Amino acid sequence: MINKITIDGRTIDSTLVFERTDGDDLVYQTAVLDYFRDEEKIPLSKLAKYYLNENLNFLCGSGTSVAIGGKTINKDENPFEEILTELNSIKEPKEYIGQLIKFFESDELLEKKFDKINQEHLYYLNNKDDVASATIIKEYLDKALKIFVDKYVPFPIDYVVDKLSIHELFINKIISRKETLNRPKVFTPNYDLAFENACEKIGVSYNNGFRGVHMRKFDPDTFHNETYIKQDSGDKGKRIATYLNIYKLHGSISWQYAESINDLYNLKEIQVSDTSKKTEFSFDSLMIYPIQTKKSYSLDLPYSELFRNFSKCLTETQNTLVAIGYSFIDEHINDIIRTGLYNPNLTLIVHSYGLIDDKSPLFLQTLKSRSVSDNRIIIFEGELVGDFTNVVKHLIPLNSFIPPKETIIDTLKELTK
């Protein structure tokens, strides 16, 4: 398994040589464990200091949902056979029907398919002033988007019971930082509720930008709230350190438009329990679906508030941003990272599941090239060092990174007191 790590301007060949065969899972797991413990292949001691920066932020893409049964939208598959059957059965089809068939049959990424269909809709609506045709095209786009949610976005009923262990470990690790450091922040374009469910399952308080109990309304000011435990003495209460801010950059399956709220955002959060089924929900929410023109949507409320918070976080001092499971194909997110790198105090750690080559997104290629001369950019490439499960278990040093020598010295000091 070919893996590469670029750190301190030097690329390390971190390949694991192992011929895996049936029935040798235990041997393989042992080999992987030894691999991650090898300092020459995995420079964990160099990595640890960046997790102890005053500000620690995570960008968690769709790759982090694979552990709970989610699928990334970049696989070579076509989930739209049902729509194609319907389109091909139309007698005397108009020109745009042929275009839709062409788009749905293409082997391009889903994001590009949606983008072209959306452009076709806008062409008939604005350029040809053909509202009837534009409406039909939009109906097929909506059908495709609902198929996307059904096939690619897991619901709590699918994973809460037995598939959340890695997310739970992730949360436990990142909240284990010293209380004197700022709380870590999680930014994610994912629509599922894995991080929220993991927090609730292990009893960690979190804030996702909503306020209220029975009527939960979006209020970005809540991201700046502090929570304290009341003390018996007259001193100021103790701040709850195990508290997490989760920013859903593209919305969530739990978001719904609610005009009755009558405020700036008209956005409420509904409960999606671990027994709720997808068939019980309407997906007419404010999610930014995976079309490339979504960059313009990210400028609207409430998304502008979330992206403003993301941008602001990257300007802070002693700062680390860790990107896991993120494809680097969202230009509006890339723009913020690109601007954030103007901050000399920002360190960017990228975990890429695939090796970076000329087929990779251009911005990711740029980061790889820049990492050779810019020590603030650290890149992990490959199936082992780019996998969310391995990153959480072996590469996030928090809660487990204690150099053995220092542990022995501290123990001896305690014994001599």
Side-chain angles (χ1 to χ4, degrees), residues 381-392:
E381 306 170 61
E383 294 183 16
L384 287 174
V385 297
D387 177 69
F388 179 57
T389 297
N390 286 335
V391 171
V392 173

Side-chain angles (χ1 to χ4, degrees), residues 3-14 368 371-372 379 381:
N3 293 268
K4 299 178 181 179
I5 301 173
T6 303
I7 187 168
D8 293 339
R10 187 171 70 91
T11 299
I12 303 170
D13 183 354
S14 189
K368 175 64 183 297
S371 65
V372 177
I379 299 183
E381 306 170 61

Side-chain angles (χ1 to χ4, degrees), residues 37-74:
R37 287 175 174 174
D38 186 344
E39 180 70 20
E40 292 186 3
K41 289 186 177 294
I42 308 293
L44 193 61
S45 58
K46 292 182 179 180
L47 188 66
K49 62 182 179 181
Y50 299 111
Y51 281 87
L52 298 178
N53 269 340
E54 183 177 347
N55 296 287
L56 178 62
N57 307 295
F58 291 87
L59 174 61
C60 297
S62 58
T64 62
S65 293
V66 173
I68 60 169
K71 295 181 180 179
T72 59
I73 65 172
N74 303 317

